Amino acid sequence: MKIKLLALDMDGTTLKSDHVTVSPANRAAIEAANARGVFVVTATGRMRHRLPEAIEQTPGLHYAVTCNGASVFDLRREAPLYANPIPLDTALRVFDALAPFPVFIEIYSGGFDYVERGRIPYIEASGFSESRMKNLLRGRRTVEDQREYLLHPAAPVEKFNVPYLPPEHQRAVWEAMRGVEGVALTSSVAQNIEINAAGTDKGDGLRFLCEYLGVAPDEVMAVGDSRNDLEMLTFAGLAAAPANADDDIKAVADWVGPSNDDDCVARAIERFLL
């Protein structure tokens, strides 16, 4: 099998557990793969303007599947190539279901994150490190009323993100979302609930990008660790996962390597691409 495209999940896979750092080994392996003509693609639940600086600065990284496949970007031209947004009526139903809960709500729209000023204390009380909080500010735009923003959005709504839910709210929010038609629920990290339009996933975004680039599914290698990576791993001809991956992800992986903190991406690239 000749691999022409490498799709890499970020959190829990390419990044260390601080959600910020790319190890020297991972960076060197990514650059080596790119030097051999392999398309290296970020595939993440994050929106465009919250890609880690360490990833944005990686030479040869030209494309990104973002918001769990709701958008595909050409990073060189800062141009969207594909979008699968949440329809307005569905977005309003999602927000109205979330609004009664005392939780932090993020609206990903046009590559940015729109948050309501009155909900910021919920995330400030989370106890994150300074570097983690700095990363969470990337791409953030504050509004007074998120529902009003949805009525007059600056760009189509790509995703709702409800991060770092307290245990007492997580199940209740998940059940509330199950009552909303036309959405897909997933999660990329613990205590996270991510809401996209039905039919949106990383596999769909990656499928579009492969068609755009003329790459067949069996020429794709994907690496991921969480439930929002499942469709991407199933789509790819070769699926790899780190040791810290969810059990259902390991079950579909062709190869399970060391953890994200032990350079799984580098080991996978060395084994299958170099």
Side-chain angles (χ1 to χ4, degrees):
M1 180 187 300
K2 178 174 174 56
I3 301 299
K4 295 183 179 179
L5 187 147
L6 172 63
L8 297 176
D9 169 57
M10 292 291 97
D11 296 285
T13 302
T14 305
L15 301 175
K16 286 185 172 291
S17 293
D18 62 3
H19 299 277
V20 175
T21 305
V22 178
S23 72
N26 280 356
R27 176 181 291 276
I30 290 170
E31 293 179 0
N34 183 261
R36 293 204 175 190
V38 176
F39 293 108
V40 181
V41 176
T42 298
T44 179
R46 302 184 187 209
M47 75 280 189
R48 162 64 188 94
H49 295 290
R50 193 168 288 165
L51 295 181
E53 291 181 15
I55 292 298
E56 290 187 322
Q57 295 166 1
T58 301
L61 188 67
H62 295 159
Y63 302 99
V65 175
T66 66
C67 297
N68 292 331
S71 295
V72 179
F73 275 88
D74 182 326
L75 300 176
R76 288 179 296 181
R77 298 188 295 120
E78 278 298 334
L81 299 176
Y82 174 75
N84 189 2
I86 303 174
L88 173 59
D89 58 339
T90 304
L92 290 171
R93 289 198 302 270
V94 169
F95 183 77
D96 289 344
L98 292 174
F101 294 96
V103 297
F104 190 64
I105 302 170
E106 298 181 292
I107 300 174
Y108 292 0
S109 175
F112 292 93
D113 172 20
Y114 292 83
V115 304
E116 193 169 288
R117 192 180 307 278
R119 291 183 180 270
I120 291 177
Y122 296 130
I123 198 70
E124 290 179 336
S126 61
F128 289 129
S129 67
E130 183 177 344
S131 63
R132 183 75 174 117
M133 286 302 297
K134 180 181 178 181
N135 184 64
L136 291 172
L137 290 172
R138 286 172 60 82
R140 178 181 293 180
R141 293 180 172 180
T142 305
V143 297
E144 294 300 325
D145 187 323
Q146 285 177 309
R147 199 178 199 281
E148 182 64 24
Y149 173 79
L150 290 172
L151 293 172
H152 308 283
V157 174
E158 298 159 309
K159 171 182 150 181
F160 285 84
N161 193 49
V162 190
Y164 313 109
L165 282 165
E168 62 269 23
H169 296 311
Q170 189 167 9
R171 182 177 296 275
V173 171
W174 191 274
E175 290 304 316
M177 285 300 95
R178 286 189 183 278
V180 179
E181 294 184 358
V183 298
L185 304 180
T186 190
S187 180
S188 57
V189 295
Q191 297 178 280
N192 229 43
I193 294 178
E194 301 168 35
I195 305 148
N196 289 96
T200 301
D201 55 62
K202 291 186 185 181
D204 178 61
L206 187 57
R207 182 180 297 106
F208 165 83
L209 185 58
C210 286
E211 292 174 357
Y212 179 81
L213 296 173
V215 175
D218 62 2
E219 297 172 323
V220 175
M221 174 178 169
V223 191
D225 74 303
S226 296
R227 71 176 67 177
N228 70 331
D229 297 312
L230 182 61
E231 292 84 359
M232 174 177 77
L233 295 173
T234 303
F235 170 81
L238 179 62
N244 54 284
D246 295 343
D247 288 342
D248 55 346
I249 296 300
K250 290 179 182 178
V252 302
D254 300 296
W255 178 80
V256 177
S259 75
N260 63 309
D261 289 319
D262 294 315
D263 305 325
C264 174
V265 165
R267 302 291 87 81
I269 291 173
E270 291 164 0
R271 182 181 181 95
F272 296 107
L273 276 72
L274 304 183

mmCIF file of all heavy atoms in Angstrom, residues 12 225 241-247 250 256-260 262 264:
data_model
loop_
_atom_site.group_PDB
_atom_site.id
_atom_site.type_symbol
_atom_site.label_atom_id
_atom_site.label_comp_id
_atom_site.label_asym_id
_atom_site.label_seq_id
_atom_site.Cartn_x
_atom_site.Cartn_y
_atom_site.Cartn_z
ATOM 1 N N GLY A 12 -4.988 14.303 21.969
ATOM 2 C CA GLY A 12 -4.890 12.901 22.338
ATOM 3 C C GLY A 12 -4.136 12.054 21.340
ATOM 4 O O GLY A 12 -3.946 10.851 21.560
ATOM 5 N N ASP A 225 -7.757 8.925 18.222
ATOM 6 C CA ASP A 225 -7.912 8.271 19.528
ATOM 7 C C ASP A 225 -9.322 8.285 20.098
ATOM 8 O O ASP A 225 -9.610 7.542 21.033
ATOM 9 C CB ASP A 225 -6.994 8.954 20.552
ATOM 10 C CG ASP A 225 -7.513 10.320 20.983
ATOM 11 O OD1 ASP A 225 -7.713 11.187 20.095
ATOM 12 O OD2 ASP A 225 -7.747 10.518 22.181
ATOM 13 N N ALA A 241 -3.864 3.981 15.937
ATOM 14 C CA ALA A 241 -4.351 4.607 17.161
ATOM 15 C C ALA A 241 -3.254 4.561 18.222
ATOM 16 O O ALA A 241 -2.451 3.624 18.255
ATOM 17 C CB ALA A 241 -5.593 3.891 17.678
ATOM 18 N N PRO A 242 -3.234 5.558 19.110
ATOM 19 C CA PRO A 242 -2.299 5.513 20.232
ATOM 20 C C PRO A 242 -2.808 4.613 21.347
ATOM 21 O O PRO A 242 -3.993 4.253 21.386
ATOM 22 C CB PRO A 242 -2.237 6.980 20.682
ATOM 23 C CG PRO A 242 -3.584 7.525 20.341
ATOM 24 C CD PRO A 242 -4.007 6.810 19.080
ATOM 25 N N ALA A 243 -1.931 4.259 22.259
ATOM 26 C CA ALA A 243 -2.296 3.374 23.364
ATOM 27 C C ALA A 243 -3.381 3.961 24.255
ATOM 28 O O ALA A 243 -4.123 3.221 24.908
ATOM 29 C CB ALA A 243 -1.051 3.060 24.191
ATOM 30 N N ASN A 244 -3.487 5.288 24.283
ATOM 31 C CA ASN A 244 -4.490 5.948 25.114
ATOM 32 C C ASN A 244 -5.855 6.056 24.441
ATOM 33 O O ASN A 244 -6.779 6.662 24.994
ATOM 34 C CB ASN A 244 -4.015 7.349 25.491
ATOM 35 C CG ASN A 244 -3.625 8.184 24.282
ATOM 36 O OD1 ASN A 244 -2.543 7.972 23.710
ATOM 37 N ND2 ASN A 244 -4.472 9.104 23.863
ATOM 38 N N ALA A 245 -6.018 5.470 23.256
ATOM 39 C CA ALA A 245 -7.273 5.583 22.511
ATOM 40 C C ALA A 245 -8.412 4.866 23.223
ATOM 41 O O ALA A 245 -8.200 3.936 24.016
ATOM 42 C CB ALA A 245 -7.102 5.009 21.106
ATOM 43 N N ASP A 246 -9.634 5.299 22.911
ATOM 44 C CA ASP A 246 -10.823 4.603 23.409
ATOM 45 C C ASP A 246 -10.826 3.166 22.882
ATOM 46 O O ASP A 246 -10.304 2.885 21.801
ATOM 47 C CB ASP A 246 -12.093 5.312 22.918
ATOM 48 C CG ASP A 246 -12.233 6.718 23.483
ATOM 49 O OD1 ASP A 246 -11.551 7.032 24.479
ATOM 50 O OD2 ASP A 246 -13.026 7.493 22.917
ATOM 51 N N ASP A 247 -11.457 2.267 23.619
ATOM 52 C CA ASP A 247 -11.464 0.855 23.227
ATOM 53 C C ASP A 247 -12.116 0.631 21.867
ATOM 54 O O ASP A 247 -11.662 -0.215 21.082
ATOM 55 C CB ASP A 247 -12.178 0.016 24.291
ATOM 56 C CG ASP A 247 -11.347 -0.126 25.560
ATOM 57 O OD1 ASP A 247 -10.119 0.112 25.497
ATOM 58 O OD2 ASP A 247 -11.922 -0.479 26.601
ATOM 59 N N LYS A 250 -9.559 1.479 19.227
ATOM 60 C CA LYS A 250 -8.552 0.421 19.097
ATOM 61 C C LYS A 250 -9.110 -0.765 18.324
ATOM 62 O O LYS A 250 -8.385 -1.430 17.578
ATOM 63 C CB LYS A 250 -8.084 -0.031 20.477
ATOM 64 C CG LYS A 250 -7.252 0.994 21.226
ATOM 65 C CD LYS A 250 -6.862 0.454 22.601
ATOM 66 C CE LYS A 250 -6.062 1.464 23.408
ATOM 67 N NZ LYS A 250 -5.738 0.956 24.760
ATOM 68 N N VAL A 256 -1.956 -0.379 16.774
ATOM 69 C CA VAL A 256 -2.016 0.443 17.988
ATOM 70 C C VAL A 256 -0.592 0.655 18.468
ATOM 71 O O VAL A 256 0.146 -0.314 18.713
ATOM 72 C CB VAL A 256 -2.867 -0.221 19.089
ATOM 73 C CG1 VAL A 256 -2.845 0.628 20.359
ATOM 74 C CG2 VAL A 256 -4.297 -0.426 18.603
ATOM 75 N N GLY A 257 -0.196 1.908 18.568
ATOM 76 C CA GLY A 257 1.170 2.243 18.956
ATOM 77 C C GLY A 257 1.263 2.755 20.372
ATOM 78 O O GLY A 257 0.322 2.590 21.164
ATOM 79 N N PRO A 258 2.362 3.395 20.711
ATOM 80 C CA PRO A 258 2.503 3.989 22.047
ATOM 81 C C PRO A 258 1.547 5.166 22.216
ATOM 82 O O PRO A 258 0.835 5.541 21.284
ATOM 83 C CB PRO A 258 3.966 4.436 22.073
ATOM 84 C CG PRO A 258 4.335 4.609 20.641
ATOM 85 C CD PRO A 258 3.555 3.592 19.879
ATOM 86 N N SER A 259 1.528 5.742 23.384
ATOM 87 C CA SER A 259 0.577 6.812 23.683
ATOM 88 C C SER A 259 0.936 8.105 22.947
ATOM 89 O O SER A 259 2.018 8.244 22.371
ATOM 90 C CB SER A 259 0.544 7.083 25.179
ATOM 91 O OG SER A 259 1.709 7.795 25.576
ATOM 92 N N ASN A 260 0.013 9.056 23.017
ATOM 93 C CA ASN A 260 0.278 10.371 22.419
ATOM 94 C C ASN A 260 1.461 11.065 23.094
ATOM 95 O O ASN A 260 2.158 11.874 22.457
ATOM 96 C CB ASN A 260 -0.964 11.261 22.514
ATOM 97 C CG ASN A 260 -1.380 11.570 23.950
ATOM 98 O OD1 ASN A 260 -1.516 10.657 24.771
ATOM 99 N ND2 ASN A 260 -1.614 12.824 24.258
ATOM 100 N N ASP A 262 4.063 9.531 24.037
ATOM 101 C CA ASP A 262 5.256 8.743 23.690
ATOM 102 C C ASP A 262 5.439 8.638 22.177
ATOM 103 O O ASP A 262 5.926 7.633 21.660
ATOM 104 C CB ASP A 262 5.155 7.343 24.309
ATOM 105 C CG ASP A 262 5.196 7.381 25.826
ATOM 106 O OD1 ASP A 262 6.041 8.109 26.370
ATOM 107 O OD2 ASP A 262 4.361 6.715 26.459
ATOM 108 N N CYS A 264 3.391 8.507 19.396
ATOM 109 C CA CYS A 264 2.689 7.541 18.556
ATOM 110 C C CYS A 264 2.716 7.937 17.080
ATOM 111 O O CYS A 264 2.924 7.089 16.204
ATOM 112 C CB CYS A 264 1.237 7.404 19.013
ATOM 113 S SG CYS A 264 0.220 6.357 17.944
#
